[in-house]
Amino acid sequence: MNVGMGWSPAHVLGPEVLILSTHGGVRAEDGSPIALGFHTGHWEVGLLVAEAARELTSMHAVPFAGACTDPCDGRTQGTTGMLDSLPFRNDAAIVLRRLMRSLPTRVGVLGVATCDKGLPAMMMALASAGEIPTVLIPGGVTLLPENGEDAGKVQTIGARFAQQQITLEYAAEMGCRACATPGGGCQFLGTAATSQVIAEALGLALPHSALAPSGQPIWLDAARRSARAVLRLRELGLGTASVLTSAAIENAMVVHAAFGGSTNLLLHLPAIAHAAKLRRPVASDWAHINRQVPRMVDALPNGPGNYATVQVFLAGGTPEVMLHLRRAGLLDTSVITVTGETLNESLNWWENSPRRHALRKSLLDQDGIDPDDVIMRPDRARSRGLTSTVCFPMGNLAPEGSVIKSTSIDPTLIDEDGVYKHLGPAKVFTTESAAINAIKTGAVEAGDVLVLICSGPLGAGMQEIYQITSALKALPFGKHVAVLTDARFSGVSTGACIGHISPEALAGGQIGKIQDGDRIEIAIDRINLTGLINFVGDSKTVLSPEEGARTLTARSPRSDLHPHPDLPDDTRLWAALVQASGGVWGGCVYDVDAITGLLEKGLKHDKMNTQ
């Protein structure tokens, strides 16, 4: 078969390496589109595949290539396409794992991936490789437009046009300018960029490969070096299990905190750990690390300077942040990475490398940006108001917990003690479209608490509500509106946005009993990383949180609770399986032992009832 595809018979006995990617679309040789992909993120990754394959061939290996493309959350935000978004991650991981096993003669695997679901899925697949060496090649980022809006802000043009802040002509022009280059993930530190950082922090990707500018020589170089690395790992007898350890998982959590990364990694990193047969981190682990680790990266969308992801790369990217963390004694630098060396040795190389000094100088010379203003020492970061990222509010509305990216709260809303407080009336919506319409028409006002329910796994596949948070961020009064939801969210927000509220409304959660006009009290301590969200009465009554809890317990759920009318059966099945596997806090995985255990218990119960 290999010769039939054109491979030289003289070279068919070399070591076989599988290259898997999330490539999408069809490009002509000159790069022009023949068929579009779902997003720019995966549009150019075929170039990385080709570069890695050429390098493998030059080393007398036999490269194979396969792909499982990924959807675009940007396209599906606010649409029924979002009902498939998070469930797709599990599906893609299964497909990628099956492709890996379907080439039984492989001696190593390279994963080339980008964007919100394809990259976590690829890491889940590679994590399962055990004794087989694997290397992740991040797909990089797109550049900022010279005259235009970044890919995060441009998604708010609908809300801004509806509020008459911009003209239709302006919206049309900005929509065509946001992506300054044809490939790469978003310019802000959302799920896609954070996942690249986490891949490198885990040791699955080579040093300084995350956030590279797509299509550039330095980006292609990562593919060549990764090809050499996977063959070196084979020579050293180091499989993926030697790299992905409990210490590597903790290092990734530390780096996540230092970057102030997307809260979606609270779903993805436990899933990667589960795939590697490691203990899954839980909320208390994240809280403990975020209390210890200072945030030191100034990146879109959290500010204050809002530097683009490529500028973070030029400032030194992940290894630069890890240098600061090493000095602070916050990393386990004895772990092995895909370099075949310890993390400590990799950081020693980075600290003294010509590459580091040249790129940091380039950022200063080309953009006039001091790299130490992008990636800061902890003391400098504190002096500029950077605080730790993730907080897990509890209370009578979230007895099993919730999540807020507290760094996204507008700093003008924080008091001198570092505390955000909000007390306001609830405006309740059971669909995202209804909430978006209310924002566009002015039905949501300053001081309100926007409550979006029926959007967790059982209701809407735990959709991401970026359209809501980004619209509020773009509106003058948006920072004075708090958001509570059993869905998930992006880091692009401005008032308090609290997601992952558990139990979700359709699982009997108290959030499903809130009525319009109910008074909701929110308190987030950004210094000590604690938070509360409580129902404290209706429009006529003021209650303590304890009294509020008793009142909610006595209330019946809302009569309009229902799954999204277009919820696919595939997503209903996904929701049932992840519920049996530890749910949202377990990473929305498929725990086969837990699922089969429940099935066997049910079958045994049915058999006993029929006897």
Side-chain angles (χ1 to χ4, degrees), residues 495-539:
C497 179
I498 301 174
H500 300 215
I501 290 178
S502 301
E504 64 178 298
L506 287 171
Q510 302 291 58
I511 192 75
K513 297 179 179 180
I514 293 296
Q515 301 290 338
D516 283 346
D518 282 347
R519 292 163 57 86
I520 294 176
E521 185 177 50
I522 303 169
I524 306 295
D525 185 334
R526 297 209 309 180
I527 305 300
N528 297 305
L529 296 183
T530 58
L532 294 170
I533 47 172
N534 287 305
F535 160 74
V536 289
D538 55 27
S539 58

Side-chain angles (χ1 to χ4, degrees), residues 44 47-48 139 141 183-184 212-220:
E44 290 187 323
L47 300 177
L48 292 172
V141 298
S214 182
Q216 302 300 307
I218 198 169
W219 173 79
L220 287 171

Side-chain angles (χ1 to χ4, degrees), residues 482-502:
V483 177
L484 303 184
T485 182
D486 49 12
R488 57 196 175 91
F489 58 91
S490 172
V492 180
S493 53
T494 184
C497 179
I498 301 174
H500 300 215
I501 290 178
S502 301

Side-chain angles (χ1 to χ4, degrees), residues 46-60:
L47 300 177
L48 292 172
V49 173
E51 198 73 10
R54 293 188 189 100
E55 189 69 18
L56 289 168
T57 302
S58 74
M59 300 176 73
H60 310 293

Side-chain angles (χ1 to χ4, degrees), residues 119-461:
L119 187 45
M122 185 68 77
M123 286 193 282
M124 289 166 66
L126 298 183
S128 69
E131 297 307 311
I132 297 173
T134 63
V135 179
L136 191 285
I137 306 172
V141 298
T142 190
L143 302 184
L144 282 173
E146 292 183 1
N147 296 293
E149 299 179 350
D150 67 78
K153 185 177 181 181
V154 81
Q155 293 187 53
T156 69
I157 54 178
R160 285 182 286 153
F161 174 72
Q163 292 282 332
Q164 299 182 334
Q165 293 184 20
I166 58 175
T167 65
L168 185 60
E169 292 73 21
Y170 179 87
E173 183 174 355
M174 291 301 103
C176 292
R177 286 177 177 265
C179 297
T181 50
C186 294
Q187 303 113 329
F188 55 89
L189 195 66
T191 307
T194 306
S195 295
Q196 294 189 38
V197 167
I198 291 303
E200 193 175 320
L202 285 167
L204 272 179
L206 289 177
H208 205 234
S209 57
L211 312 182
S214 182
Q216 302 300 307
I218 198 169
W219 173 79
L220 287 171
D221 179 62
R224 292 190 293 271
R225 291 188 294 120
S226 297
R228 295 194 294 270
V230 77
L231 291 178
R232 182 167 188 264
L233 289 171
R234 178 188 178 234
E235 292 174 0
L236 295 172
L238 294 174
T240 305
S242 300
V243 173
L244 270 185
T245 62
S246 295
I249 297 293
E250 184 162 334
N251 279 348
M253 296 169 70
V254 169
V255 172
H256 178 274
F259 266 84
S262 166
T263 53
N264 278 321
L265 270 295
L266 274 68
L267 298 169
H268 300 320
L269 192 57
I272 295 164
H274 178 261
K277 302 188 185 308
L278 300 170
R279 174 184 171 272
R280 287 177 270 178
V282 297
S284 59
D285 299 319
W286 290 99
H288 173 71
I289 283 175
N290 273 268
R291 291 190 182 104
Q292 286 185 307
V293 178
R295 181 167 70 101
M296 56 186 75
V297 178
D298 183 347
L300 279 166
N302 296 328
N306 285 329
Y307 298 108
T309 44
V310 71
Q311 292 167 328
V312 177
F313 174 80
L314 291 171
T318 306
E320 192 71 21
V321 172
M322 294 176 95
L323 282 180
H324 291 297
L325 292 170
R326 182 174 69 169
R327 295 185 193 111
L330 293 169
L331 285 176
D332 184 340
T333 59
S334 68
V335 297
I336 299 294
T337 76
V338 292
T339 62
E341 311 291 341
T342 65
L343 175 59
N344 199 50
E345 291 167 312
S346 292
L347 292 179
N348 287 341
W349 163 79
W350 172 254
E351 189 167 26
N352 299 300
S353 68
R355 175 188 178 110
R356 175 186 181 227
H357 297 294
L359 292 178
R360 285 167 60 84
K361 183 176 184 299
S362 174
L363 179 62
L364 183 61
D365 293 345
Q366 291 187 33
D367 294 346
I369 295 172
D370 183 344
D372 290 330
D373 286 340
V374 182
I375 298 174
M376 302 176 233
R377 299 186 311 272
D379 56 344
R380 188 172 187 174
R382 280 191 292 271
S383 71
R384 298 202 172 190
L386 272 70
T387 57
S388 296
T389 308
V390 181
C391 177
F392 298 88
M394 303 288 286
N396 61 34
L397 287 177
E400 293 180 4
S402 63
V403 174
I404 182 172
K405 193 171 184 180
S406 57
T407 49
S408 292
I409 302 175
D410 190 291
T412 63
L413 303 176
I414 309 300
D415 67 20
E416 59 185 14
D417 296 321
V419 177
Y420 164 88
K421 293 180 180 178
H422 185 97
L423 176 64
K427 289 191 176 173
V428 186
F429 305 92
T430 59
T431 65
E432 184 188 22
S433 59
I436 293 171
N437 184 64
I439 293 170
K440 288 182 175 180
T441 59
V444 172
E445 302 171 336
D448 288 343
V449 179
L450 190 159
V451 180
L452 175 63
I453 53 178
C454 300
S455 292
L458 294 172

